[in-house]
Amino acid sequence: SILLNNYALVSIDEDKELARELYSKAIEISRRLLGDDHETTATSLLGLSGILGDLEKFEEALEAVDDSLSSFVRYMGQYNSATFEALNCKAIILTGMDRFEQAAICFEEAVNIAEHVYDQQDPEGLRVIGNAAVALNIAGRLEDSVNYFEKFVNNTCKSHPVPNIQVIEYLLGYLAVLRKLKETRTQIEIINEAYKLACECESYDFKELADLFHLLAILNRDHFWGIRS
């Protein structure tokens, strides 16, 4: 079963249908030999849910990830990296189904676990904080979204544990929320941070940033400062 899981994992990029078959076979073996409440069975279910999500078979993916999450919690408890990964995967699947409020709740639960399991600046924990902020914005929970974006910025921009391009994408999402809330000065601070990170990237499409600079320069002419382009 473990070998099948590893084979499926290395096959994902080349052949998702093959990976799906391998995970399904691994689940069958694990359930027969180890039962439902075992780490290997749960890991196979989690891998299958990710593949099904990639194939946009979202209902099947949701069923698999729910089974995986339940197994991890029963076998290992709530606060561990496996449960965190399962919650994060479920949130991503729900996002693909446009069920953003439910996705946001899952991301928030994952953030809570990450705070117990990971260091504050661990990349995995930071990504789920960013994803939670994005989902909360889409779900219309703007103030909650801002809180998560602020947590992401405070923990990320100090040491850059996440690649700069990904950080910039989250910062642009933060800007979108701030524009809805008309938080002018905070927008300027975030643009400065995004611009600084973009300058450190070897390759980045500056058009999106340039458009934002232009728009904000017009809207906030009296307050716009610190930008050189």
Side-chain angles (χ1 to χ4, degrees), residues 25-92:
K25 186 65 175 176
I27 292 165
E28 179 187 335
I29 294 170
S30 293
R31 278 179 163 158
R32 187 167 67 246
L33 298 178
L34 304 170
D36 286 336
D37 296 339
H38 192 278
E39 182 180 4
T40 303
T41 307
T43 300
S44 300
L45 284 162
L46 181 58
L48 178 63
S49 68
I51 290 294
L52 291 168
D54 289 344
L55 295 170
E56 297 187 358
K57 298 180 183 295
F58 294 121
E59 292 295 342
E60 295 176 57
L62 193 57
E63 182 180 352
V65 79
D66 278 337
D67 288 347
S68 171
L69 182 57
S70 297
S71 293
F72 279 132
V73 171
R74 287 194 297 265
Y75 184 74
M76 302 172 68
Q78 181 76 11
Y79 295 106
N80 56 78
S81 59
T83 304
F84 166 82
E85 291 292 346
L87 271 170
N88 190 39
C89 183
K90 181 176 180 178
I92 291 169

